[in-house]
Amino acid sequence: MSETTLNSELLEHEEKKSLASREFGFWVYLMTDAVIFALLFASYVVLSKNSAAGPTSKDLFDLGHTAGETALLLLSSLTFGLATIAMTADRAGRVVQWLFVTLILGLGFLAMEMLEFHGMIAQGAGPGTSGFLSAFFTLVGTHGLHVAFGAIGICVMIGQVMVKGLTLPVRSRLVRLGLFWHFLDIVWIGIFSVVYLPGVM
């Protein structure tokens, strides 16, 4: 075995070790994020009935609008999964296409959420109106902020796939971003089930 081959194998081994430690660090981050959302859910449940004689969830929530947001986010999770499948098949062009579709769906979700927030504030139901609305805007807004950061991450990954190709580090980053995106879907299902559905019943 030549010295060049040996050095190449050592570098590849070190790169895999580095990626493994980053993946572990990402899982730690995801668990801490889950704890933060659990606390926000608990705060909302405690404060959800404290409307301070102001508008209640039945006055404000539009289940049809929320169903549209849910459909966009769930579809974006599907398209991200298709991007991951394309990655395993070494089809960089398809990866970029599916990531772009995911980005459009994510931005559509954010646009609908901003419309919802704007409409509520226009009705005098801002986050400072009551404990219920403070908890609502904090929980849903934190999730929306995560989606916005995820959308930025998708833009970065589109650029990396186009410039660098499907190298081992790019694949690792794409898998981690996919886990983050799917995690946000799970959190949104929780929001839909804990916040919106009981709020209109």
Side-chain angles (χ1 to χ4, degrees), residues 154-174:
I154 291 172
C155 291
V156 171
M157 288 312 306
I158 289 172
Q160 289 199 0
V161 173
M162 292 177 69
V163 172
K164 298 181 179 181
L166 294 173
T167 62
L168 191 60
V170 170
R171 288 171 184 265
S172 177
R173 291 182 201 115
L174 192 57

Side-chain angles (χ1 to χ4, degrees), residues 52-181:
T56 65
S57 55
K58 288 184 179 179
D59 301 321
L60 299 170
F61 293 167
D62 179 356
L63 207 54
H65 185 91
T66 308
E69 291 176 292
T70 304
L72 286 174
L73 205 57
L74 292 180
L75 277 174
S76 75
S77 194
L78 172 64
T79 55
F80 207 121
L82 292 171
T84 305
I85 292 170
M87 179 190 72
T88 59
D90 287 321
R91 302 181 70 179
R94 281 297 174 92
V95 171
V96 170
Q97 288 173 6
W98 284 120
L99 285 178
F100 183 74
V101 174
T102 305
L103 177 64
I104 295 301
L105 292 169
L107 292 176
F109 169 84
L110 287 173
M112 289 189 73
E113 191 166 273
M114 292 301 293
L115 281 172
E116 179 185 26
F117 284 0
H118 181 268
M120 291 172 70
I121 292 169
Q123 295 178 55
T129 305
S130 64
F132 150 63
L133 286 167
S134 294
F136 169 81
F137 275 95
T138 303
L139 172 57
V140 179
T142 299
H143 176 268
L145 192 62
H146 278 68
V147 174
F149 281 120
I152 293 169
I154 291 172
C155 291
V156 171
M157 288 312 306
I158 289 172
Q160 289 199 0
V161 173
M162 292 177 69
V163 172
K164 298 181 179 181
L166 294 173
T167 62
L168 191 60
V170 170
R171 288 171 184 265
S172 177
R173 291 182 201 115
L174 192 57
V175 168
R176 279 177 273 156
L177 181 59
L179 289 171
F180 177 75
W181 196 260

Side-chain angles (χ1 to χ4, degrees), residues 182-201:
H182 297 314
F183 168 74
L184 295 181
D185 267 6
I186 294 169
V187 173
W188 180 256
I189 291 170
I191 291 173
F192 186 80
S193 303
V194 173
V195 176
Y196 287 100
L197 276 181
V200 297
M201 291 174 69

